[in-house]
């Protein structure tokens, strides 16, 4: 028996027996295909060193607390045991409640691998290798890897999964066999890029090769599509690493055959399997499934320059941002099926807004920006990041929202049986998805195309950017999102011409979100400023960016000023739930009133269009936040609510009649 250390602090020990430890080969450069698919490329998190007082603590919280906490929960609930039982190293029945429990382990590895990219850590790398060794035990000889089905093919862990005894791939609507594979591929691709090791990648490739042999057109192959999408983007990531066209073809096959009744019995709108993907123009069904699929469609549009796919994703995106997104950036209004509702159906108390859906939406919008360079996609990303996404994680890193409501009465148990954050869920996809995503956040800050650098988000950092003609060191110093001042320093390796495009945030352009779903009650007339080496430039935002093309030299400084004021937001009158109401914002942050700060007359709180407010930084409150207050109310950032016990909360406030 071999003892494998599973936490950095040594608090969690898992005893396993492995017949063969994974062999760790060095990276083979010939294995990596050049990614020529997207014209714009993100600046790798390896080259972005975050110093930010807002984002760095959140990332460190995940790295230092949430990963270890999730590992303990996975050990407690038998996630690791399932791989060992499937491989014959342990006796027992399936542990856990969901057919996709395997993916919690994959997502933790992906988050840890993203951490290794930005900050090499031998102890963490050893931990990840131990997890990979456990996973390898559970893989069948032909590459199959879904532990519940290997352990007992006739007995799924969840009663709503109906399968035929002993038949693989039966019941794909809910079996999650292909979903499990997708997260495996996603995690293995990041791990390979982080470490150069083949141990996890080889497990993924073996499984993907089985998929290629099993699904598609041709004799002895199965005609089918996944019930829950993500294998499509995972296969594309393996294609980008290996250059193996079969993976790209299978990804496209799964997409092309959605809505095709001649291929399989359709799953319906819940799984976006009601129409061919190129005919879909309304976001429907399970929101997480949807945005994962739209991300894959965008990959195909980019890689294969497919105009039909591009037209479809554009139509779907327009429908979402014009009719089906919350002011927090959350998506998926309906608790019934964790789904998008009807157009303009955006309830607050029962809002679902799954944390996983916000994460998937950021992945999709990031792809769309890399394809087009259009600022509107980062307007959605920023709003989602600062509001509806990080709200899913508590300030101590150990409690979570699965849904993210915009209102609470302190009684309705909207969060999987609780009316506050919970320490875990039977369906733990959201906590581990947060782990997967947050350490990769610095990769959103910069993008590049040729000799153009895009500055998409504002956070204190130092970065090395490899432009076409030279390397450039850049740095940001800022207290964003608490104020809109940014100092940007440029140090090219040699004096030379290139372009920097500084994003003017949507809120600073008097736009809540693209489209007319929300608008500010009044226009902020304060002007955005760009100052180069002490001289203010007379520049106008070009498609949402301040574009500065010049000969840059070491020491050049750009100061940006995006004036912040308390903004009042009103919704399109077609949103019945928000009629006669306003919400409050300051910079990119959406605010909420919480009962603990407004104990005397919470239910009577209202706002007038001409109300004025005081903005005050309170460093000891909720990790340090700006509060908004006047004689009637005190509001805190929405993302920080429910960190001080159970109570009422609302984002949308009644407008006073007088």
């Amino acid at each position: 028996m071999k003892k494998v250390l599973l936490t950095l602090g040594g608090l969690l020990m898992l005893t396993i027996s492995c017949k063969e430890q994974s062999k760790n080969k060095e990276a083979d450069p010939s294995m990596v295909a050049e990614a020529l698919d997207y014209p714009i490329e993100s600046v790798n998190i390896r080259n972005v060193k975050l110093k930010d007082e807002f984002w760095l603590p959140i990332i460190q919280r995940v790295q230092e607390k949430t990963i270890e906490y999730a590992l303990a929960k996975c050990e407690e609930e038998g996630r690791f045991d399932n791989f060992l039982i499937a491989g014959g190293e342990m006796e027992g029945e399936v542990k856990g409640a969901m057919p996709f429990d395997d993916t919690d382990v994959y997502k933790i590895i992906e988050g840890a691998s993203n951490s290794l990219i930005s900050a090499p850590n031998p102890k963490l790398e050893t931990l990840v290798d131990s997890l990979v060794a456990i996973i390898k035990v559970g893989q069948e000889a032909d590459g199959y890897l879904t532990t519940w089905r290997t352990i007992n093919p006739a007995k799924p862990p969840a009663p709503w999964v109906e399968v035929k005894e002993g038949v693989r791939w039966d019941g794909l609507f809910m079996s999650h066999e292909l979903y499990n594979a997708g997260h495996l591929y996603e995690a293995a691709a990041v791990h390979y890029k982080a470490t150069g090791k083949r141990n996890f990648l080889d497990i993924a490739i073996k499984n993907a090769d089985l998929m290629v042999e099993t699904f598609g057109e041709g004799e002895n192959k199965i005609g089918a599509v996944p019930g829950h999408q993500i294998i499509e983007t995972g296969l594309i990531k393996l294609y980008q690493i290996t250059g193996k066209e079969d993976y790209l073809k299978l990804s496209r096959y799964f997409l092309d055959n959605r809505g095709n009744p001649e291929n399989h019995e359709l799953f319906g709108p819940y799984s976006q399997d009601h129409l061919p993907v190129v005919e879909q123009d309304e976001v429907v069904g399970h929101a997480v499934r949807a945005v994962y699929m739209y991300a894959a469609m965008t990959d195909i549009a980019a890689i294969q320059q497919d105009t039909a796919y591009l037209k479809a994703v554009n139509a779907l995106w327009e429908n979402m941002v014009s009719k089906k997104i919350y002011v927090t950036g959350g998506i998926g209004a309906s608790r019934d099926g964790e789904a998008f509702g009807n157009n303009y159906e955006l309830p607050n108390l029962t809002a679902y807004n799954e944390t996983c859906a916000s994460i998937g939406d950021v992945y999709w919008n990031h792809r769309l920006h890399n394809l087009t360079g259009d600022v509107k996609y980062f307007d959605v990303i920023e709003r989602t990041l600062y509001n509806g996404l990080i709200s899913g994680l508590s300030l101590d890193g150990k409690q979570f929202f699965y849904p993210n409501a915009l209102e609470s009465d302190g009684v309705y148990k909207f969060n999987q049986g609780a009316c506050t954050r919970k320490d875990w869920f039977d369906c733990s996809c959201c906590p581990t998805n947060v782990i997967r995503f947050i350490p990769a956040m610095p990769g959103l800050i910069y993008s590049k195309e040729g000799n153009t650098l895009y500055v998409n988000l504002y956070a204190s950092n130092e970065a090395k950017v490899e432009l076409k003609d030279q390397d450039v060191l850049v740095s940001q110093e800022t207290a964003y999102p608490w104020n809109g001042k940014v100092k940007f320093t440029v140090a090219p390796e040699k004096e030379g011409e290139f372009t920097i495009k500084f994003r003017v945030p949507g809120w600073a352009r008097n736009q809540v979100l693209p489209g007319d779903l929300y608008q500010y009650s009044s226009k902020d007339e304060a002007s955005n400023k760009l100052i180069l080496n002490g001289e203010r430039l007379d520049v106008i935002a070009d498609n949402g960016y301040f574009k500065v093309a010049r000969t840059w030299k070491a020491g050049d400084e750009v100061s940006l000023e995006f004036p912040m004021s308390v903004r009042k937001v009103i919704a399109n009158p077609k949103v019945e739930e928000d009629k006669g109401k306003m919400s409050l914002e300051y910079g990119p942050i959406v605010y909420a009133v919480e009962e603990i700060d407004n104990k005397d007359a919470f239910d009577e709180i209202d706002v007038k269009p001409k109300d004025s407010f005081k903005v005050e930084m309170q460093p000891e409150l909720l990790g340090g936040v700006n509060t908004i207050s006047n004689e009637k109310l005190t509001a805190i950032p929405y993302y920080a609510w429910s960190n001080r016990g159970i109570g009422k909360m609302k984002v949308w406030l009644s407008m006073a009649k007088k």
Side-chain angles (χ1 to χ4, degrees):
M1 301 290 285
K2 299 179 181 179
K3 296 279 188 178
V4 179
L5 184 64
L6 278 187
T7 67
L8 299 180
L11 299 177
L12 174 64
M13 299 291 290
L14 182 68
T15 302
I16 68 166
S17 170
C18 295
K19 294 177 181 176
E20 179 186 356
Q21 288 290 334
S22 298
K23 296 178 181 178
N24 298 332
K25 301 177 183 178
E26 292 301 314
D28 179 2
S30 67
M31 283 289 290
V32 181
E34 290 187 25
L36 301 177
D37 19 346
Y38 286 92
I40 298 172
E41 180 184 354
S42 304
V43 174
N44 195 295
I45 57 176
R46 194 185 306 275
N47 296 325
V48 182
K49 303 302 179 186
L50 210 60
K51 304 183 297 179
D52 193 63
E53 292 185 3
F54 185 87
W55 281 107
L56 187 57
I58 295 174
I59 293 172
Q60 289 175 332
R61 189 187 317 156
V62 169
Q63 293 171 325
E64 297 169 6
K65 296 181 179 180
T66 314
I67 288 177
E68 184 166 319
Y69 180 81
L71 285 170
K73 284 294 184 181
C74 285
E75 195 272 343
E76 177 186 320
E77 297 193 354
R79 302 283 192 274
F80 308 123
D81 290 352
N82 282 340
F83 291 99
L84 303 177
I85 295 168
E89 294 293 322
M90 181 183 288
E91 293 184 358
E93 283 296 312
V94 178
K95 299 182 179 182
M98 299 294 161
F100 44 84
D101 283 343
D102 295 354
T103 65
D104 290 330
V105 182
Y106 304 153
K107 287 183 281 186
I108 292 170
I109 292 175
E110 185 172 346
S113 297
N114 277 316
S115 297
L116 290 173
I117 292 173
S118 58
N121 182 326
K123 289 184 179 179
L124 181 60
E125 190 169 338
T126 299
L127 161 63
V128 170
D129 282 340
S130 72
L131 298 179
V132 172
I134 292 169
I135 292 167
K136 186 173 182 180
V137 171
Q139 187 169 36
E140 295 189 29
D142 66 354
Y144 184 84
L145 188 51
T146 286
T147 60
W148 73 261
R149 197 139 205 174
T150 299
I151 295 168
N152 190 340
K155 189 180 179 183
W160 35 263
V161 179
E162 298 180 3
V163 296
K164 295 176 183 175
E165 182 174 354
V167 181
R168 282 182 184 174
W169 322 117
D170 180 63
L172 284 177
F173 178 45
M174 283 294 178
S175 74
H176 288 78
E177 290 160 278
L178 303 185
Y179 171 82
N180 293 344
H183 271 299
L184 169 66
Y185 306 162
E186 295 264 339
V190 175
H191 178 259
Y192 175 65
K193 292 173 184 176
T195 66
K197 295 177 180 178
R198 292 289 304 272
N199 52 341
F200 199 21
L201 182 66
D202 286 343
I203 293 171
I205 287 174
K206 189 174 184 180
N207 183 265
D209 287 343
L210 174 66
M211 298 295 180
V212 169
E213 293 172 8
T214 303
F215 297 99
E217 306 289 351
E219 192 175 355
N220 299 323
K221 288 195 174 185
I222 298 172
V225 300
H228 193 314
Q229 302 90 318
I230 200 176
I231 190 174
E232 300 88 344
T233 55
L235 283 165
I236 290 169
K237 283 186 170 62
L238 292 185
Y239 158 71
Q240 290 171 323
I241 289 173
T242 66
K244 187 169 181 177
E245 292 278 345
D246 285 344
Y247 301 152
L248 178 63
K249 290 177 182 176
L250 182 57
S251 177
R252 170 124 199 188
Y253 168 85
F254 285 143
L255 292 168
D256 281 346
N257 282 287
R258 295 199 93 81
N260 178 7
E262 295 182 3
N263 177 266
H264 62 281
E265 185 177 347
L266 300 185
F267 303 144
Y270 174 81
S271 291
Q272 299 76 43
D273 191 30
H274 55 303
L275 291 170
V277 294
V278 294
E279 295 178 18
Q280 295 186 30
D281 59 6
E282 180 181 356
V283 293
V284 298
H286 190 277
V288 182
R289 285 168 162 84
V291 289
Y292 285 171
M293 185 180 86
Y294 306 152
M297 291 170 65
T298 307
D299 281 344
I300 294 295
I303 294 169
Q304 300 187 337
Q305 299 181 341
D306 190 300
T307 56
Y309 267 60
L310 181 58
K311 180 181 178 182
V313 293
N314 285 341
L316 290 161
W317 186 89
E318 289 289 345
N319 174 253
M320 183 184 75
V321 299
S322 298
K323 298 179 175 67
K324 297 192 180 187
I325 192 169
Y326 281 87
V327 72
T328 57
I331 55 171
S334 176
R335 303 188 69 81
D336 183 12
E338 304 179 324
F340 289 103
N342 296 321
N343 290 335
Y344 303 107
E345 181 188 350
L346 296 165
N348 294 313
L349 183 69
T350 62
Y352 206 71
N353 288 341
E354 185 177 339
T355 300
C356 285
S358 291
I359 291 170
D361 196 30
V362 170
Y363 286 139
W364 180 31
N365 276 274
H366 195 203
R367 284 168 164 84
L368 288 165
H369 185 269
N370 284 346
L371 183 58
T372 66
D374 197 317
V375 74
K376 64 186 180 183
Y377 301 118
F378 261 96
D379 291 341
V380 175
I381 288 172
E382 182 179 75
R383 181 162 293 268
T384 305
L385 277 179
Y386 282 99
N387 302 292
L389 194 156
I390 58 173
S391 57
L393 180 66
S394 65
L395 296 182
D396 69 0
K398 298 179 181 180
Q399 292 188 312
F400 311 91
F401 276 141
Y402 189 114
N404 292 270
L406 274 74
E407 183 176 335
S408 175
D409 59 9
V411 178
Y412 174 53
K413 296 178 179 180
F414 66 92
N415 188 35
Q416 306 290 14
C419 49
T420 185
R421 287 184 177 83
K422 290 181 68 173
D423 59 6
W424 201 247
F425 308 99
D426 286 342
C427 174
S428 51
C429 55
C430 292
T432 52
N433 224 357
V434 167
I435 290 171
R436 170 192 183 214
F437 174 84
I438 290 292
M441 177 271 161
L444 297 168
I445 297 173
Y446 301 107
S447 305
K448 60 179 183 175
E449 180 182 20
N451 283 316
T452 297
L453 168 65
Y454 290 82
V455 184
N456 302 309
L457 297 173
Y458 297 105
S460 295
N461 70 84
E462 294 178 350
K464 178 182 178 182
V465 183
E466 298 173 356
L467 295 178
K468 179 182 177 182
D469 292 336
Q470 66 167 309
D471 293 349
V472 182
L473 297 176
V474 295
S475 68
Q476 289 188 46
E477 295 178 22
T478 182
Y480 199 93
W482 308 125
N483 72 50
K485 296 180 179 180
V486 184
K487 179 184 176 183
F488 197 89
T489 305
V490 184
E493 61 181 354
K494 61 180 184 296
E495 188 173 310
E497 293 184 16
F498 53 92
T499 299
I500 303 180
K501 298 179 73 171
F502 300 93
R503 175 175 161 268
V504 180
W507 58 265
R509 306 193 317 271
N510 286 295
Q511 188 174 51
V512 181
L513 277 165
D516 65 353
L517 191 55
Y518 304 101
Q519 63 180 347
Y520 293 116
S521 63
S522 62
K523 184 177 181 181
D524 190 334
E525 300 294 345
S527 59
N528 303 305
K529 299 177 183 177
L530 187 149
I531 300 165
L532 174 63
N533 295 329
E535 179 183 351
R536 181 176 177 182
L537 300 186
D538 185 17
V539 293
I540 298 174
D542 178 17
N543 293 320
Y545 285 92
F546 281 149
K547 181 178 178 181
V548 184
R550 67 188 298 271
T551 299
W552 297 88
K553 60 182 183 300
D556 281 343
E557 288 187 1
V558 175
S559 295
L560 299 164
E561 294 184 18
F562 306 119
M564 290 185 180
S565 62
V566 177
R567 311 296 299 276
K568 304 179 186 76
V569 177
I570 55 177
N572 188 302
K574 293 179 181 177
V575 182
E576 291 287 339
E577 185 85 6
D578 299 333
K579 279 186 175 180
K581 297 178 182 178
M582 285 183 170
S583 63
L584 302 176
E585 298 184 358
Y586 188 74
I589 303 290
V590 174
Y591 277 72
V593 293
E594 202 171 10
E595 187 177 18
I596 192 170
D597 302 309
N598 303 272
K599 292 180 179 177
D600 295 334
F602 181 87
D603 294 327
E604 283 72 52
I605 289 174
D606 58 22
V607 291
K608 297 183 179 70
K610 293 185 179 180
D611 275 352
S612 60
F613 296 90
K614 177 177 68 174
V615 177
E616 183 179 6
M617 170 51 70
Q618 300 200 31
E620 303 304 317
L621 178 66
L622 299 168
V625 297
N626 277 345
T627 59
I628 293 174
S629 63
N630 63 13
E631 65 278 2
K632 293 187 294 183
L633 66 86
T634 296
I636 61 164
Y638 166 78
Y639 74 80
W641 88 277
S642 192
N643 277 284
R644 296 173 291 173
I646 295 172
K648 298 178 180 180
M649 179 278 298
K650 52 188 173 184
V651 169
W652 289 95
L653 310 175
S654 296
M655 279 192 280
K657 295 180 180 179
K658 293 184 179 179

